[in-house]
Amino acid sequence: METSSSALTPATSTKREIPTLLRAFLVLALLYLFLTGVELLGGGFKSLGKDLVDGLFEGVSNPIGGLFVGLLATVLVQSSSVSTSVIVGLVAAGVVNTGDAVPMIMGANLGTTVTNTLASLGHVRHDIEFKRAFAAATVHDFFNILAVIVFLPIELITGYLSSSASWLTDTLIGSSGSDFKSPLKEAVKMPAKWVKELLSNLGANGDIKGGLMIVIGLAFIFISLAYITKNMRLLVADRVETAINHALGAGSGIVAILIGAVITVSVQSSSITTSVLVPLAASGVLTLGNIYPVTLGANIGTTVTALLASLATGSPAAVTVAIVHTLFNISGIIVFYPVKKLREIPIHMANRLSNVAAERRSLALAYTLTAFVIVPLLGVVILR
């Protein structure tokens, strides 16, 4: 049996092998598809007409409602990159204003941690492994929750994030009151135009055409991000764990944060970066204190997708919202990481929850369902 298995392995490996250069070109093509999807999404919302779109998003002007909308949307699509790109498209289309989009972005940031939590449940049959894995997953939850608790009220009272992001937008691309000539937007105009013309030739016009543009745009975004993630994971998979271990071995939290950000930008998914950490924590290879800064870096790295999407829209307001996402995560790190007592709060919270969950496994599932499904769903229903 062993001989047969080993004999089959090379054939399987050879069959699946794709040259690295070809895979890199594929990633660039998928990125182009993603940006085309963002362009179609924004155009579709504009075509639908303001009254109809306002009806779809009625009630989201409530900041807590917006927070839950962003959280629930990210949980449903299992990707903050997708949900934040959609939010950017809505802002570019004028459906959602910058102020209303900020809580949605924060909610999306919360929702992205559900993947790690679900991954940790895979260790539920082994006491010590599960305890370590669940703590490694939920430390990300608690950091993001604390960041929202601190910065959502500050934003609502002072406009700190949106005003800072607006200033950066003005500095980088000029006046926030009018569209700017984005080379990315120009690059994706042609394929988006082809899709529009195809729909018109098929007899789709008005609201039907706008709805189909939204569906096609979302399909492009989902498909491209899924395959970008898959291909980037294969391109850098062998380096991810090595880079993390090297950074943590050096004992520098700042280096670990940078490594987490770089890896996440490379694979276009914070979930991949942080999910790599869960089994390493479960096996005892990495401590919770060492994992924590890498998750913070992943939080920053995941904002790059929304930044790219915003540049493709040519809308300064969309760029502002994307920058808000980056500033939010950087601000959270500045508050909670440098000071030891504050840095340890998410770690203590994660350890306490994992201790309880290890004693009663059903509570781990209850926590996941309550935090990521029941509470946001009720919040959306009540606060719309």
Side-chain angles (χ1 to χ4, degrees), residues 68 71-72 75 365-382:
F68 286 134
L71 198 166
L72 192 60
V75 170
L365 182 59
Y367 162 79
T368 305
L369 289 173
T370 302
F372 294 104
V373 179
I374 296 172
V375 169
L377 188 57
L378 288 174
V380 170
V381 171
I382 295 170

Side-chain angles (χ1 to χ4, degrees), residues 297-309:
N299 259 7
I300 296 174
T302 196
T303 66
V304 169
T305 306
L307 286 168
L308 284 172

Side-chain angles (χ1 to χ4, degrees), residues 84-354:
T84 53
S85 297
V86 170
I87 293 167
V88 163
L90 294 175
V91 172
V95 173
V96 177
N97 63 46
T98 303
D100 293 341
V102 172
M104 295 181 191
I105 289 289
M106 292 183 179
N109 215 59
L110 282 173
T112 194
T113 63
V114 68
T115 307
N116 314 328
T117 308
L118 291 173
S120 70
L121 297 179
H123 299 273
V124 74
R125 294 184 178 180
H126 307 282
D127 292 349
I128 298 176
E129 283 187 18
F130 174 64
K131 182 178 175 181
R132 291 170 178 164
F134 197 65
T138 55
V139 72
H140 197 184
D141 298 358
F142 286 120
F143 171 80
N144 285 337
I145 290 169
L146 289 169
V148 168
I149 289 172
V150 170
F151 287 102
L152 182 56
I154 290 176
E155 169 62 18
L156 295 177
I157 295 169
T158 68
Y160 152 67
L161 291 170
S162 53
S163 59
S164 299
S166 293
W167 177 81
L168 283 170
T169 302
D170 290 346
T171 303
L172 295 172
I173 61 174
S175 173
S176 60
S178 59
D179 287 357
F180 65 98
K181 290 186 177 180
S182 167
L184 287 178
K185 183 177 177 65
E186 293 300 317
V188 298
K189 265 187 177 180
M190 187 60 71
K193 183 180 177 182
W194 291 341
V195 173
K196 294 174 188 176
E197 289 176 350
L198 176 62
L199 291 174
S200 296
N201 292 336
L202 292 173
N205 291 295
D207 289 348
I208 294 176
K209 182 178 178 180
L212 288 173
M213 285 171 63
I214 291 172
V215 171
I216 295 170
L218 285 172
F220 282 3
I221 290 171
F222 272 99
I223 292 168
S224 58
L225 284 177
Y227 282 97
I228 285 173
T229 297
K230 180 179 179 180
N231 281 279
M232 289 304 297
R233 182 172 65 240
L234 292 171
L235 281 171
V236 302
D238 295 336
R239 302 175 183 88
V240 169
E241 189 172 330
T242 302
I244 290 174
N245 282 319
H246 178 74
L248 300 181
S252 171
I254 300 301
V255 172
I257 290 173
L258 291 174
I259 289 292
V262 170
I263 291 173
T264 302
V265 170
S266 299
V267 299
Q268 282 292 291
S269 172
S270 61
S271 297
I272 288 178
T273 307
T274 51
S275 294
V276 165
L277 303 175
V278 171
L280 293 175
S283 63
V285 172
L286 298 177
T287 66
L288 187 57
N290 283 337
I291 285 170
Y292 180 35
V294 182
T295 65
L296 303 188
N299 259 7
I300 296 174
T302 196
T303 66
V304 169
T305 306
L307 286 168
L308 284 172
S310 69
L311 291 172
T313 67
S315 165
V319 175
T320 297
V321 169
I323 293 175
V324 163
H325 193 191
T326 305
L327 290 179
F328 171 60
N329 284 315
I330 291 174
S331 298
I333 292 172
I334 291 172
V335 168
F336 287 103
Y337 195 76
V339 180
K340 185 178 179 181
K341 287 186 177 180
L342 293 176
R343 179 167 67 241
E344 290 178 347
I345 293 175
I347 295 175
H348 288 320
M349 294 173 77
N351 275 326
R352 291 188 67 177
L353 181 61
S354 66

